[in-house]
Amino acid sequence: MTDPLELDVRPLLHNGGEPFGAIMGAVGSLAPGQGLRLYATFRPEPLFKVMQAKGFDYEATPLDGGDWQVLFTPDGAASEPAGSRSDDPDNWPDPAHYLDCTELDPPEPMVRILAQLEAMAKGEVLFALLAREPVFLFPELEARGHAWVGDFDAEGTTYRLMMRAGSRP
């Protein structure tokens, strides 16, 4: 069995950064069957649901000083360890729809994005701007068969999310 990849996001969190992009990047680089050992400054509850949707079980262990270690291990339930990111966004068409959700409070961005995706044809692309990383939206996108990629802008203030409408399950 391959040793788990280790990712320590504590320095990023201490500097006010968002670790989700780094975590998803690490997940995307995992070898088949490889786990991820994550170190964080808090118990990352929202991440558990995202990782379970990607086919990972987790074991969270508190560390000294209030930090946490979480070992994510593949459970074999997901067919693609990298989730929707395995779909190459470089080959997607230009976005046909745009949403600026930066001024909206949760859950309105998720509601608007999911409604827009439901109205789109399979393969069309939606680009959205958000004030925060939509960690609760990601499992919903995957459950509905939509592919997505996203990250923060260079200033780290706006989350950019591009989604390609998929087929309905």
Side-chain angles (χ1 to χ4, degrees), residues 41-61:
T41 58
F42 62 93
R43 184 178 160 93
E45 294 284 344
L47 185 60
F48 297 158
K49 189 172 182 178
V50 172
M51 292 297 285
Q52 284 178 322
K54 292 184 174 297
F56 288 85
D57 289 327
Y58 65 90
E59 181 179 326
T61 306

Side-chain angles (χ1 to χ4, degrees), residues 1-163:
M1 175 176 237
T2 306
D3 290 335
L5 176 70
E6 293 200 5
L7 178 63
D8 188 347
V9 296
R10 292 176 295 186
L12 183 63
L13 290 166
H14 286 300
N15 290 323
E18 289 286 339
F20 191 77
I23 295 168
M24 290 299 106
V27 170
S29 71
L30 295 175
Q34 187 178 24
L36 174 68
R37 185 180 318 275
L38 177 71
Y39 296 94
T41 58
F42 62 93
R43 184 178 160 93
E45 294 284 344
L47 185 60
F48 297 158
K49 189 172 182 178
V50 172
M51 292 297 285
Q52 284 178 322
K54 292 184 174 297
F56 288 85
D57 289 327
Y58 65 90
E59 181 179 326
T61 306
L63 302 174
D64 290 340
D67 293 344
W68 285 82
Q69 171 187 285
V70 183
L71 177 60
F72 294 100
T73 54
D75 67 7
S79 59
E80 298 177 6
S84 64
R85 291 176 181 254
S86 63
D87 189 15
D88 185 4
D90 291 336
N91 295 324
W92 293 1
D94 290 335
H97 306 275
Y98 296 87
L99 287 176
D100 183 349
C101 301
T102 56
E103 301 294 323
L104 302 175
D105 292 326
E108 193 61 31
M110 181 163 51
V111 170
R112 288 192 185 187
I113 287 169
L114 292 175
Q116 179 64 53
L117 285 167
E118 292 300 316
M120 293 168 47
K122 179 181 178 183
E124 283 188 310
V125 174
L126 168 64
F127 182 81
L129 298 174
L130 301 117
R132 60 185 56 88
E133 190 169 27
V135 294
F136 297 110
L137 176 62
F138 299 141
E140 297 298 325
L141 294 174
E142 289 189 21
R144 289 169 167 81
H146 305 302
W148 58 270
V149 293
D151 63 5
F152 278 96
D153 64 4
E155 293 79 31
T157 57
T158 302
Y159 194 84
R160 305 169 298 190
L161 184 61
M162 193 163 69
M163 297 146 282

